[in-house]
Every structure is written in C-alpha cells, then in structure tokens.
C-alpha cells in the first residue's frame, strides 16, 4: 500500500449529494440539489430536474371583449364540464427538448367549435434571433449603419428610418456568437431585457444615448420624447393649409426630412395663397418642399436648429415681401413654434405669439400620436424546434406557409416571412410578461406554439402518440415537474385561430 492509497483509505469520504445533469440545452449543466443551472430556468429540486417557472395556461374570454382577471398559482381544475373560458397551453414554462429528435414538451389536443386542434408547444432556443426596434421620434439618433452599443459592446446598428420613426436592428447571430464572449453576453442580456419589456440604455456611435423600453416613450439624451410627428413638413402643409389661410401670410413647417413652405406648396397654390418672396436655404425638391435645410439633430423638427430663422435667406420684395408680412414657423410635432413680422428692412422680427394661430398649432399637436418604442422579436425556427413537432421537419415549414399551421409566441400572433424556413416576428407587447429566457451559449429562449388541425398534424408526420388533452396537462403537468399557472390572455390575441386555419393558402 503506497502513501496515497493509505491516506485515501484511512480518511472518511465526505458524502456528496449527487449532481444531476440538465439536458434541456447544449450547455448540459451539472446541478447540485437545491441549486439552479446556468440559465436559472432549471434546477435540481428533490432529486429531479425541474423547470423553475410554471407552465402558463392562457385563458381567453369566451365572449369577445369580456374582461379576464388574471391570477397566479396552480390552476384549480374544478371538474366543471362547461368551461366558460377558452384555455390555451402556451409554451411559457413548457421547457425545451434537446437534442432535436425528442417530441416537444407538450402536444395538446382540444376540440374547439367542433374542430379537433393540436397545439405543439416548446420553448425554442434561438441562436439566430434579434429585435427590430422602432422609436417614434424625429430626433436624430445617429447615422445609418452606425454601431449601437449596450455596456460599451456593439450589439446592433442603426437601420433605415421609417415615417416618423428611427429604427434599430439589434442582436443577430454575429453579435451573439460571432464576436467576443463579452459581446455575446451583453447582446443576449440586452435582447432578453428588451423582449421582457424592460428598459435598456443604448448608445449610438456618433449619435445619442437612448433608453428603449417596449410600449414606453423613448428617452433621448435624458429627454423623454412625447409625440410622434403628424407627418413630414410637406404633409403638414397639405393637412393644415386651409386652416392657416387668412390668419398669417406665410407658414414654414421645419423638418429634417422635408421642410414645407405654404406659399410655394401645391396645397397653398390651389387655394390661391399669395407669394411672399421667402427664400429657404436647402435643396428644393418640388415647389414648397425642401430637403436638407440643416443637419439632423435634436432641435426643431429633428434638425440641429434652435433658431429656425437660420434656414431662411433674404426676403425678396419683387416677389411679394413687404414690411409687416407675418410668418409662422412651426415644427412637425407642433412642440416648437414662433411668430415673426418683417421689419422695414424685410428682416423677420420675433413677436409675441398671436392667439389667432394658437388653435392651428394645437391642432398639429393634437394630430401627433404618443411617441413609443416598439420591440419586435425576430427569430428563425430551426432544427430542434421543427423536429419536436414532426418527424419530417420540412413538412412543418410547408404547413406554416400553406397557412395550415398557425404560429404563436406565448399566444401572440406572429408575422411569418415569406420564402424559406420559418422566420417569424412578434410584437413583444402582445406576449405575457417575462415570456423570454436565455441560455448561455448564448441564445434567447422564446416560447413558440404551432396549432393545426389534428388530421393535418397526423398527415405531416406529427408525434401522434404524444398528444394529450388540455385537462391531462393541467392535472399531470409535464416532464419537468413544474407548476401550472393561469393568466389572462392579452386582449386582441385571437384564440381559437379557426379563421386563420380556414384561409386558402396563397400558393
Ligand atoms: S443552461 Fe439552463 S437549460 Fe442549459 S443545461 Fe444549464 S440549466 Fe439546463
């Protein structure tokens, strides 16, 4: 017996409780009793791998518009034969099957209005995913294609602006897995927070800092945005020209995109607006419509301007300018406005704002919608997901595109991109709170449900032996021993999706 074996044999071995291996994702954590794994979604409790959050059953009012009172805790199934609410087993808390060939955690059948429907639910692990963010503001956030950062790490970029909104594209496989570990971790955390409707501070290279929170106004460089513009400067002229006629001699709607001038604009011409000899410094597009009157910024109408007179050249008396001529300058949201009159030298001089114009400025403001941040989760349903639904995954893709399978994320309807694969987008505001999770590969975990007629499910090679009733799921739960929880479905999310499933395919 050598020294090492002697020591080993004479010392008592300390009993270690057995660690269990979680197999719900490729990380394969070993988890000690009473602890959770790296993603905090699974733990070892009572010697079993348990999904820590409850399975969420969504309850829809049987009648359109009826109120639902959400409640937490185990679903009490009282055995009533007549259930006045429509239940939907969502994938939130359902768990993930890994590797690919296992059937999804819940495959639930339900007779809905005489149609036998099957819903396949799973928490999908999305390595290919990101969010598209729409920020309702005219203010300049940064140049197109500039990097967007969270915690100093690049997690996306500024993409093309839309009407009245600035757009960001965040996440994606290159930021999640193609860069440094820190970049992937920070990108994953930012996506998770955005999808779970939490605020995230983002900085844009060469631009602003913006706090984005789904369903809330953006906060840009510390200032909370209030309104989304009524339209571009040209549109505002078109909308309000008749309201200004007779009250003021000239109106300029200042806008970073298209600045409008009523006396030159077609909307002014058709109602006989007189020339004023005004000169706007900018690139004239068509009469009364000017591009690039300034650089984009945080000032009037999304320009850098604090003083709108900077966009005006000299007034021309040969084209109608005269002392006393009145001029209204206003931004596209009506938040900034000023009134001027030309002096003897035809220079505009600011005057107290006249009461007679107050109503028209208020009308611009009134027509502006509240500025909000919109977050759309976007992901591609790949191997594990599709194989969990059917033994022949491409059949699911075809069924989705043929509108025979209805896809939801936590009960919320999705937009399915045409073309190959199952690439979806969903408004996170329509999903229940905290519906999203993550795994440290890093990737986002999103609930996803596929609903189709039972006969279609069997035809596409579905896991027929795994089909269970809703009542069975409520009573016995699933593989991961977690509780069940009922929550009211978000208003407007349709269930059952019979109308959608009965539509004719587009191709
Ligand atoms: S990261 Fe989460 S899902 Fe993946 S193995 Fe660990 S505990 Fe399980």
């Amino acid at each position: 017996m050598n020294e090492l074996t002697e020591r080993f044999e004479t010392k008592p071995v300390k009993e270690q409780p057995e660690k269990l291996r979680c197999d719900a994702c490729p990380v394969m954590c070993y988890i000690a009793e009473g602890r959770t794994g790296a993603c905090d979604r699974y733990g070892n409790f009572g010697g079993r791998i348990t999904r820590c959050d409850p399975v969420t059953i969504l309850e829809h009012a049987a009648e359109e518009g009826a109120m639902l009172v959400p409640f937490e805790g185990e679903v009490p199934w009282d055995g009533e034969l007549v259930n006045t609410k429509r239940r939907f087993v969502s994938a939130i808390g359902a768990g993930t099957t890994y590797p690919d060939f296992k059937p999804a955690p819940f495959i639930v059948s339900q007779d809905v209005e005489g149609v036998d429907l099957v819903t396949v639910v799973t928490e999908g692990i999305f390595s290919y995913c990101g969010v598209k963010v729409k920020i309702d503001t005219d203010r300049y956030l940064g140049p197109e294609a500039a990097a967007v950062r969270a915690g100093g790490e690049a997690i996306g970029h500024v993409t093309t602006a839309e009407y009245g909104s600035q757009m960001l594209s965040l996440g994606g496989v290159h930021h999640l897995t193609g860069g440094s570990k820190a970049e992937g971790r920070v990108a994953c955390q930012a996506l998770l927070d955005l999808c779970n409707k939490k605020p995230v501070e983002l900085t844009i290279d060469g631009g602003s800092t913006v706090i984005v929170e789904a369903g809330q106004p953006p906060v840009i460089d510390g200032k909370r945005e209030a309104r989304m513009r009524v339209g571009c400067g040209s549109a505002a002229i078109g909308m309000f020209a008749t309201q200004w006629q007779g009250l003021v001699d000239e109106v300029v709607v200042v806008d970073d995109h298209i600045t409008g001038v009523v006396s030159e604009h077609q909307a002014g011409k058709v109602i006989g607006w007189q020339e004023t000899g005004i000169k706007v410094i900018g690139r004239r597009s068509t009469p009364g419509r000017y591009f690039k009157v300034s650089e984009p910024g945080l000032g009037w109408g999304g320009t850098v301007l604090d003083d709108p007179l900077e966009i005006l050249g000299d007034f021309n008396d040969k084209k109608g300018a005269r002392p006393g001529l009145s001029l209204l300058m206003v931004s596209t949201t009506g938040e900034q406005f000023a009134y001027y009159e030309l002096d003897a030298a035809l220079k505009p001089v600011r005057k107290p704002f006249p009461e007679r114009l107050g109503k028209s400025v208020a009308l611009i403001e009134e027509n502006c919608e509240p500025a909000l941040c919109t977050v759309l989760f976007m992901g591609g349903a790949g191997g594990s997901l599709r194989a969990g639904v059917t033994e022949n995954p491409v059949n699911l893709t075809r069924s989705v595109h043929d509108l025979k399978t209805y896809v939801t994320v936590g009960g919320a309807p999705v937009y399915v991109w045409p073309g190959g694969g199952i690439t979806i987008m969903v408004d996170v505001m329509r999903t229940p709170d905290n519906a999203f999770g993550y795994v440290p590969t890093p990737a986002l975990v999103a609930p996803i449900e596929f609903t189709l007629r039972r006969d279609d499910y069997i035809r596409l090679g579905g896991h027929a032996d795994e089909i269970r009733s809703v009542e069975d799921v409520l009573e016995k739960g699933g593989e991961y021993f977690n509780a069940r929880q009922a929550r009211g479905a978000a208003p407007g999310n349709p269930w059952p999706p019979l109308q959608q499933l009965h539509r004719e395919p587009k191709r």
Side-chain angles (χ1 to χ4, degrees):
M1 185 179 289
N2 65 31
E3 199 188 324
L4 186 65
T5 24
E6 192 179 9
R7 203 171 62 218
F8 199 75
E9 289 198 346
T10 51
K11 287 203 171 174
V13 179
K14 209 173 158 192
E15 281 282 316
Q16 290 285 343
E18 198 191 343
K19 285 186 177 177
L20 295 180
R21 197 166 81 166
C22 173
D23 64 356
C25 93
V27 178
M28 300 289 216
C29 298
Y30 280 96
I31 310 174
E33 172 63 35
R35 308 295 292 271
T36 56
C39 67
D40 284 337
R41 294 163 57 241
Y42 294 84
N44 175 354
F45 301 107
R48 292 162 160 178
I49 290 293
T50 307
R51 178 73 175 86
C52 301
D53 305 301
V55 181
T56 295
I57 319 290
L58 297 172
E59 294 202 324
H60 292 249
E63 284 173 36
E64 239 0 88
M67 288 294 290
L68 273 174
V69 182
F71 62 95
E72 307 288 323
E74 287 267 345
V75 171
W77 174 243
D78 58 11
E80 283 246 357
L81 288 177
V82 181
N83 174 21
T84 55
K85 296 185 182 112
R86 293 167 174 156
R87 290 188 163 93
F88 177 75
V89 179
S90 84
I92 302 164
T96 307
T97 47
Y98 184 83
D100 300 1
F101 57 79
K102 291 188 199 164
F106 294 106
I107 302 177
V108 189
S109 84
Q110 194 172 178
D111 184 280
V112 184
E113 297 176 19
V115 182
D116 197 357
L117 293 182
V118 170
T119 302
V120 184
V121 310
T122 188
E123 288 181 299
I125 299 175
F126 288 84
S127 304
Y128 284 83
C129 74
V131 297
K132 307 296 174 209
V133 181
K134 173 172 164 284
I135 301 170
D136 300 337
T137 183
D138 272 349
R139 287 176 228 285
Y140 180 67
L141 298 183
E144 229 168 73
V148 178
R149 294 176 190 276
E153 298 289 342
I155 65 160
H157 61 271
V158 178
T159 185
T160 46
E162 298 301 339
Y163 200 91
S165 309
Q166 310 294 325
M167 305 289 292
L168 308 179
S169 179
L170 307 180
V173 73
H174 293 300
H175 288 294
L176 282 170
T177 60
S180 67
K181 270 192 175 176
E183 181 180 331
R185 190 174 39 77
V186 171
C188 188
Q189 184 65 51
L191 296 183
L192 180 65
D193 288 343
L194 287 167
C195 289
N196 283 335
K197 308 168 203 170
K198 293 180 181 156
V200 174
E201 183 174 289
L202 302 169
T203 55
I204 294 162
D205 286 2
S208 304
T209 295
V210 55
I211 298 173
V212 172
E213 181 178 356
Q216 295 296 322
V219 180
I220 301 163
D221 286 343
K223 189 166 177 273
R224 199 175 172 84
E225 188 64 283
R227 293 184 196 89
M228 179 184 182
R229 68 178 181 174
V230 62
C232 67
S234 169
I237 292 284
M239 281 185 266
F240 302 115
T242 52
Q243 322 238 4
W244 287 314
Q245 197 172 32
L247 300 180
V248 65
D249 297 317
E250 183 63 282
V251 181
V252 177
V253 182
V254 181
D255 177 20
D256 165 51
H257 178 210
I258 306 175
T259 288
V261 180
V262 72
S263 65
E264 298 178 0
H265 195 280
Q266 184 64 8
K269 293 285 181 212
V270 296
I271 58 173
W273 204 290
Q274 296 299 303
E275 282 192 323
T276 61
I278 195 168
K279 167 134 183 81
V280 172
I281 302 166
R283 181 152 69 81
R284 189 168 175 271
S285 162
T286 53
R289 301 168 74 251
Y290 292 87
F291 297 150
K292 293 182 87 67
V293 295
S294 156
E295 291 302 311
L298 304 180
W300 277 59
T303 67
V304 291
L305 302 170
D306 289 326
D307 178 5
L309 291 182
E310 286 180 38
I311 69 169
L312 298 187
D314 292 337
F315 276 78
N316 185 346
D317 58 355
K318 295 194 175 54
K319 291 188 175 172
R322 55 182 162 74
L325 185 137
S326 57
L327 167 67
L328 166 66
M329 296 191 84
V330 62
S331 68
T332 41
T333 54
E335 285 167 297
Q336 296 109 334
F337 53 87
Y339 173 77
Y340 307 86
E341 289 179 6
L342 299 191
D343 65 9
L346 301 182
K347 296 286 179 209
V349 178
R350 190 161 181 172
K351 301 276 180 174
F353 200 79
E355 211 181 308
R356 66 178 191 278
L357 292 175
K359 198 172 149 207
S360 67
V361 170
L363 195 63
I364 295 179
E365 282 197 73
E366 195 183 312
N367 273 272
C368 294
E369 292 164 78
L372 290 179
C373 298
T374 307
V375 175
L376 298 191
F377 167 78
M378 181 166 171
S384 315
L385 260 168
R386 293 185 301 160
V389 182
T390 161
E391 285 159 2
N392 191 357
V394 75
N395 283 347
L396 179 65
T397 311
R398 290 178 186 142
S399 179
V400 168
H401 286 284
D402 285 347
L403 305 179
K404 288 181 177 166
T405 295
Y406 180 67
V407 188
T408 48
V409 166
V414 305
Y415 173 76
V416 181
W417 280 72
I422 304 173
T423 305
I424 55 159
M425 287 199 303
V426 63
D427 176 1
V428 302
M429 288 304 289
R430 298 184 77 169
T431 64
D433 292 345
N434 294 317
F436 292 80
Y438 82 103
V439 290
T441 51
L444 233 58
V445 176
I448 188 161
E449 304 96 17
F450 300 93
T451 299
L452 65 169
R453 298 168 65 112
R454 182 194 277 254
D455 48 3
D456 282 336
Y457 185 55
I458 306 297
R459 255 196 301 276
L460 64 79
H463 304 287
D465 295 345
E466 304 294 327
I467 298 176
R468 301 165 60 191
S469 67
V470 178
E471 290 73 27
D472 191 57
V473 170
L474 288 166
E475 193 185 323
K476 299 184 188 140
E479 192 184 343
Y480 294 111
F481 307 104
N482 49 340
R484 274 76 69 206
Q485 163 187 267
R487 288 161 84 173
N493 285 351
W495 176 256
L498 292 175
Q499 266 190 324
Q500 284 83 350
L501 292 177
H502 289 163
R503 280 182 303 177
E504 284 301 309
K506 285 178 192 151
R507 58 188 166 82

